[in-house]
Amino acid sequence: INMGIKTREELLLYGSALLQQDNYLLEWCTGVGKTRVPLFILKPEDKVLIVHGDRTYYLKSWQEEIRIINSNINAEFTTLQSLTKYVGQEFDYLIFDEADLITPNYLEIFQAIKFNRYIFLSAKVKKDKKDLLKRLCTYKTHVVKLQEAIEKEWLPKPEIRVIYLTL
C-alpha cells in the first residue's frame, strides 16, 4: 500500500503532507506515530481541539508528544464526555484521537461545534463508525496495517515469551 515509503520517519513526513491537503482519517496501527503526525502541521495561531480517550494516559501522552514535537501549539484537550462545553465555539482543527469511539449522540455534539479541518486518528474504524464520521465532513483515509509496519520495520517484530509460574 505504502510502496515508496521505506522508513518510519518517511511515513511520518508523508502523513503530515497528507494532512496539509485535506481532512483525513489516519487508520494506522498502534505504535507507528499517528499521534505525532498532526503536530507537524499545526501553527501557533491555529486553534485546536484535541478529543482523546477518557483515561489520563491519553492526555499525558498528548502532552508529552506536544512537548517533544511542537510546544507552540494552541490546543485544548477534552474527552467525549466533556465535549458539550465547546458547543457554539469555533476551531481551526479537530483532532479526534480514537475516532472509533464516535456514536450518534456524540455526532450531534460535534455538529454543534464549528471546525475548519478534521483529523481523525484510530488504529481501526468499523464501517458504521466511518459512516458517522462522514456525516461530520468528507475525508480521505490512509491505512497502515500492523503486518506492513512490521515487514517494513516501522515497528519491531513482536516476540512471544513464555514465563512459567508455579502456583
Side-chain angles (χ1 to χ4, degrees):
I1 296 172
N2 299 299
M3 301 298 281
I5 302 170
K6 292 181 176 60
T7 66
R8 183 169 176 255
E9 290 72 24
E10 287 177 6
L11 176 66
L12 298 178
L13 289 172
Y14 180 73
S16 61
L18 293 176
L19 297 184
Q20 291 180 31
Q21 308 294 320
D22 293 293
N23 299 320
Y24 257 92
L25 164 60
L26 294 184
E27 197 171 6
W28 291 11
C29 64
T30 302
V32 293
K34 66 183 164 288
T35 303
R36 289 181 167 210
V37 172
L39 301 178
F40 292 122
I41 68 163
L42 300 175
K43 300 176 188 78
E45 63 270 16
D46 292 331
K47 188 175 176 188
V48 181
L49 183 63
I50 299 174
V51 179
H52 58 83
D54 64 351
R55 285 182 260 158
T56 307
Y57 161 79
Y58 291 108
L59 175 59
K60 288 185 181 195
S61 176
W62 272 101
Q63 290 171 331
E64 180 64 11
E65 293 290 352
I66 287 170
R67 187 186 67 73
I68 293 168
I69 304 293
N70 185 354
S71 62
N72 295 319
I73 70 167
N74 177 18
E76 293 192 43
F77 300 91
T78 191
T79 62
L80 286 168
Q81 294 78 6
S82 301
L83 195 58
T84 54
K85 70 181 183 182
Y86 297 96
V87 168
Q89 293 188 41
E90 182 174 349
F91 292 87
D92 296 303
Y93 286 91
L94 165 65
I95 300 175
F96 185 7
D97 194 9
E98 305 300 334
D100 57 305
L101 298 175
I102 188 81
T103 67
N105 292 343
Y106 293 126
L107 179 70
E108 291 179 24
I109 300 169
F110 276 119
Q111 290 171 327
I113 305 168
K114 179 165 179 13
F115 299 103
N116 297 321
R117 295 282 306 282
Y118 295 82
I119 299 170
F120 306 122
L121 307 172
S122 192
K124 182 69 180 149
V125 182
K126 293 181 179 176
K127 185 189 178 315
D128 64 319
K129 303 288 185 158
K130 287 181 181 179
D131 291 342
L132 285 175
L133 294 173
K134 285 179 185 170
R135 291 172 56 191
L136 283 176
C137 69
T138 56
Y139 65 88
K140 296 178 180 178
T141 302
H142 187 262
V143 177
V144 175
K145 295 186 177 183
L146 181 60
Q147 181 176 348
E148 177 186 18
I150 292 169
E151 287 172 357
K152 292 192 173 185
E153 298 180 351
W154 299 338
L155 290 176
K157 189 172 185 173
E159 293 181 14
I160 298 174
R161 296 181 185 195
V162 178
I163 302 172
Y164 294 98
L165 299 174
T166 305
L167 301 177

